[in-house]
Amino acid sequence: WAVLAWLQILAASNTDSSKPLVTVEDIVTEHWKKYGRNYYCRWDFEGVDKAKATEMMDKMRKAVKKNTGRKMGEYTIKVSDDFTYVDPVDKSISKQQGIRFLMTDGSRVIFRLSGTAGSGATVRMYIEQYQGDKSKLDLKVSEALEELVKVALELCDIKTFCG
């Protein structure tokens, strides 16, 4: 469906063949100028020792209250929690779905542990940050999220637990 949606957007943006072709990049860049940009990345630490990864997650889980309000670099953790999902249809509850660090500026860091890898476990680290500054809309994702990634790695201390 996404491909069809983009084809429709491109068709609607290119109705006059005498004008230069409007590209997906043109559309996205204009969108960012108007609304800002959300930078996002996911790191997967695959094949790590499940016991050590669980220990790391448990350490973060125990520190959620202590981390709420904590200042780390240019970020302040507004909320730190152990996410519980409540299904809106059957009301079933799934606990320990990830450790979340929600920053005062709207940025967020989430850690999830998955035991479905071929061998060992996978720790997934999700990083997201909104950028409204027009001079920073064309950064590489790694540049835009560099400081938040450093904070995330400090919060989880994965090197100590998983090498």
Side-chain angles (χ1 to χ4, degrees):
W1 292 105
V3 172
L4 292 175
W6 272 110
L7 288 173
Q8 179 59 40
I9 292 167
L10 286 168
S13 301
N14 287 291
T15 56
D16 187 346
S17 62
S18 67
K19 292 184 178 179
L21 183 68
V22 177
T23 66
V24 171
E25 182 179 5
D26 297 330
I27 294 166
V28 170
T29 301
E30 284 305 310
H31 179 84
W32 291 343
K33 286 178 184 174
K34 185 173 183 178
Y35 299 105
R37 178 178 179 182
N38 282 293
Y39 285 98
Y40 166 84
C41 71
R42 182 180 100 179
W43 289 22
D44 289 353
F45 300 92
E46 296 179 333
V48 299
D49 181 87
K50 187 166 184 167
K52 292 288 188 183
T54 300
E55 186 181 345
M56 179 191 77
M57 295 294 289
D58 287 343
K59 181 181 179 202
M60 286 190 290
R61 191 170 283 116
K62 289 175 187 166
V64 293
K65 287 183 183 172
K66 179 179 81 172
N67 279 320
T68 298
R70 182 177 173 190
K71 178 119 173 87
M72 299 185 74
E74 62 188 65
Y75 299 94
T76 301
I77 301 171
K78 181 178 180 180
V79 175
S80 174
D81 67 8
D82 185 1
F83 182 68
T84 297
Y85 176 75
V86 179
D87 188 285
V89 176
D90 68 8
K91 307 298 183 217
S92 62
I93 298 171
S94 299
K95 295 183 178 185
Q96 296 186 342
Q97 293 301 299
I99 308 299
R100 301 187 307 172
F101 299 94
L102 311 177
M103 309 300 174
T104 55
D105 71 350
S107 300
R108 61 186 176 170
V109 174
I110 300 170
F111 293 92
R112 296 198 70 210
L113 177 60
S114 170
T116 59
S119 63
T122 299
V123 175
R124 290 197 170 93
M125 180 175 80
Y126 302 86
I127 310 284
E128 185 176 359
Q129 179 174 301
Y130 171 77
Q131 181 55 258
D133 182 339
K134 291 186 183 353
S135 70
K136 297 180 181 179
L137 298 177
D138 61 349
L139 296 174
K140 292 180 182 175
V141 172
S142 59
E143 293 171 10
L145 297 177
E146 183 177 15
E147 292 305 313
L148 191 55
V149 166
K150 287 178 185 175
V151 167
L153 293 172
E154 184 179 337
L155 284 164
C156 71
D157 195 19
I158 196 163
K159 280 189 178 182
T160 299
F161 288 95
C162 300

